[in-house]
């Protein structure tokens, strides 16, 4: 599938790291993708650069109304507060799990791998994250590496805002290789 024919969901709430949402969004829109933002409410959400409040953006839809079957990929921006709040949202965690189980590309950057941990989808995978949560990622059963963008089956993880271009490129590669995604291995599954 061409990225220009894809529909990408971003899930975020207040406290997202600004460039980790706006960067992939802008890069995907420039490539012709449809990008939809879902949040727990339709109120504008506040981005941050580290701890400083910055730009806001109004969500397009509620997390409660989002369904994996309506999208080709999912992006989870980081920041500390954003994934920390979302991992307590049952619907958000179920949505993430449904994307992973459907074999659709899922990208999580910075602190967003906390959401993958909550969805219990990192066991047996290789991943990266912001340095302070790497122990959490390891304790969730992943092999942790320090690289700009790590792809393991249909999950892409990344470390920080400076890695946004490589992170987004890895997601685009997965979307454009979508037919092969349907046949990916499950974690811990032995090759035939």
């Amino acid at each position: 599938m061409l990225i220009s024919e894809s529909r990408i969901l971003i899930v975020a709430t207040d406290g997202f790291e600004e460039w980790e949402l706006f960067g992939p969004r802008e890069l995907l829109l420039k490539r012709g993708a449809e990008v939809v933002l879902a949040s727990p409410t339709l109120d504008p959400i506040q981005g941050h650069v580290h701890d400083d409040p910055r730009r806001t953006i109004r969500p397009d839809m509620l997390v409660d109304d989002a369904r994996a079957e309506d999208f080709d990929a999912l992006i989870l921006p980081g920041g500390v507060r954003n994934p920390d709040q979302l991992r307590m949202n049952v619907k958000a965690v179920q949505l993430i799990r449904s994307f992973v189980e459907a074999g659709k590309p899922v990208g999580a950057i910075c602190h967003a791998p906390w959401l993958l941990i909550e969805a219990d989808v990192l066991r047996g995978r290789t991943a990266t994250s912001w340095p302070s949560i790497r122990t959490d990622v390891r304790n969730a059963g992943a092999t942790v590496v320090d690289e700009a963008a790590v792809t393991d089956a249909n999950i892409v993880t990344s470390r920080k805002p400076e890695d946004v271009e490589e992170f987004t490129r890895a997601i685009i590669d997965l979307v454009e290789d979508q037919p092969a995604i349907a046949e990916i291995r499950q974690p811990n599954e032995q090759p035939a």
Side-chain angles (χ1 to χ4, degrees), residues 44-185:
I45 57 175
Q46 179 76 57
H48 286 78
V49 174
H50 302 293
D51 294 328
D52 298 327
R54 298 287 175 96
R55 293 164 61 184
T56 62
I57 186 170
R58 183 175 297 279
D60 302 301
M61 70 183 306
L62 296 170
V63 167
D64 289 0
D65 297 333
R67 300 175 333 159
E69 55 266 25
D70 295 335
F71 297 93
D72 300 300
L74 172 64
I75 295 177
L76 304 167
V80 177
R81 285 182 42 226
N82 167 55
D84 193 48
Q85 291 178 60
L86 287 174
R87 66 184 173 163
M88 301 302 292
N89 183 308
V90 173
K91 294 283 190 177
V93 174
Q94 289 172 341
L95 179 65
I96 293 161
R97 191 176 300 117
S98 67
F99 267 89
V100 173
E101 290 174 352
K104 295 186 177 194
V106 175
I109 186 168
C110 190
H111 286 75
W114 267 340
L115 293 163
L116 302 178
I117 292 167
E118 196 65 36
D120 194 23
V121 296
L122 284 182
R123 194 168 316 282
R125 297 190 186 256
T126 300
T128 195
S129 67
W130 184 257
S132 67
I133 70 163
R134 288 185 184 155
T135 299
D136 300 338
V137 172
R138 189 175 298 106
N139 288 342
T143 299
V144 177
V145 296
D146 184 16
E147 297 174 17
V150 176
T151 301
D152 187 318
N154 61 320
I155 294 178
V156 176
T157 51
S158 193
R159 305 173 299 189
K160 56 189 174 183
E162 293 81 7
D163 297 334
V164 161
E165 287 184 28
E166 289 181 61
F167 171 67
T168 307
R169 189 175 318 115
I171 293 166
I172 290 170
D173 288 347
L174 282 179
V175 170
E176 290 187 338
D177 196 28
Q178 195 75 338
I181 294 295
E183 299 176 18
I184 61 167
R185 67 166 175 81

Side-chain angles (χ1 to χ4, degrees), residues 3-4 6 8 10 21-36 57 60 75 168 172:
I3 196 67
S4 60
S6 66
I8 311 296
I10 298 176
L21 187 151
F22 286 106
R25 182 177 181 273
E26 290 170 15
L27 292 167
L28 290 164
L29 287 171
K30 283 181 185 176
R31 296 283 300 267
E34 179 184 353
V35 181
V36 177
I57 186 170
D60 302 301
I75 295 177
T168 307
I172 290 170

